[in-house]
Amino acid sequence: MTQTEEFTKPAVRSRPHRWPPGDGVGVFHAVRRTVHRKAGSLEARLTERYLSALDTAEAGGRPPECRRPLFQYRHHPGVRPVQFALAGLHAHVAHDLALAVVDVCRTRDCEPDALEGEFEQVGDLLALLEERIHDELTPGPDLLRIADPLTHLVSSWSLERARGAAWTTAQVLRRLRGFPSAAEEFARQNDAGAGLVVRFLLTPCR
């Protein structure tokens, strides 16, 4: 499937996803389910893109490149739960959110600026998700020393920067709508770049 086809594929009804304890893919999914709320069509498209990627991978297909490290490392004993959760969140923002904005713009025949309010609503939801990840999955000070590599990894990632990059990506892709080859290549490069960050966040720490 090309990136252009990825832009236009219809919404799918996802089957329930359940993973055994300790499965890295399931770590992010479990936390995300606890903060889901109705936030308009942009949040709905964000959720659809996320679940579609999971369905593709679980069916033996090729998910977006940014999610492949999550499936490759999902049982690695040296990767901690908070790493899986933040890696999943980055893929969700850098890939799913950017394309969800493009989806809604296409449906409404509008520019991203018209979705700024909805984008901020989704941003509040993602901030709540990040807070839940830190509260529930980050080791306490008795287990996490200041020199621990996990401290460096967790503090190196910023939701605000990831959201800003997703917004810029959506704006560029919308402007490239008349140039499908360029849009496809730009989306591919964005997916690959997000995959590099995900792989960094999954660096084994023990």
Side-chain angles (χ1 to χ4, degrees):
M1 178 181 293
T2 67
Q3 289 287 351
T4 301
E5 290 170 329
E6 172 72 9
F7 289 165
T8 57
K9 68 181 180 181
V12 297
R13 183 178 296 278
S14 176
R15 63 181 182 275
H17 292 278
R18 297 181 179 86
W19 292 278
D23 187 298
V25 177
V27 171
F28 173 72
H29 188 70
V31 179
R32 193 192 188 284
R33 289 182 61 189
T34 67
V35 300
H36 175 77
R37 68 170 183 252
K38 187 176 180 62
S41 56
L42 180 55
E43 198 280 332
R45 287 300 296 148
L46 176 63
T47 300
E48 287 168 4
R49 282 204 167 268
Y50 165 65
L51 294 177
S52 177
L54 293 187
D55 283 344
T56 297
E58 291 297 299
R62 288 177 63 82
E65 187 170 343
C66 61
R67 282 205 165 78
R68 291 172 203 166
L70 284 159
F71 287 92
Q72 293 168 358
Y73 286 83
R74 65 194 300 177
H75 300 299
H76 196 297
V79 181
R80 303 188 190 184
V82 66
Q83 294 176 254
F84 285 116
L86 289 178
L89 181 55
H90 183 76
H92 200 32
V93 176
H95 183 265
D96 301 337
L97 180 57
L99 295 186
V101 171
V102 176
D103 289 341
V104 178
C105 284
R106 182 186 302 107
T107 299
R108 298 183 186 176
D109 192 21
C110 68
E111 299 306 313
D113 287 349
L115 306 180
E116 191 168 357
E118 286 186 53
F119 189 84
E120 291 302 318
Q121 285 185 331
V122 172
D124 291 342
L125 183 69
L126 295 170
L128 180 61
L129 177 54
E130 183 189 29
E131 180 181 348
R132 188 70 58 86
I133 288 171
H134 285 296
D135 288 347
E136 296 184 2
L137 299 176
T138 302
D142 55 329
L143 298 176
L144 189 61
R145 303 183 308 276
I146 190 65
D148 194 309
L150 183 59
T151 304
H152 172 71
L153 285 175
V154 170
S155 63
S156 295
W157 186 78
S158 166
L159 174 60
E160 183 177 357
R161 289 195 297 268
R163 282 179 54 202
W167 183 248
T168 299
T169 297
Q171 290 179 314
V172 173
L173 285 172
R174 183 61 177 163
R175 290 171 185 169
L176 289 174
R177 62 187 178 276
F179 305 92
S181 295
E184 180 180 328
E185 177 61 18
F186 184 80
R188 189 186 69 80
Q189 293 292 344
N190 179 69
D191 186 18
L196 288 176
V197 175
V198 168
R199 192 171 294 276
F200 167 76
L201 288 170
L202 296 177
T203 301
C205 290
R206 60 183 178 191

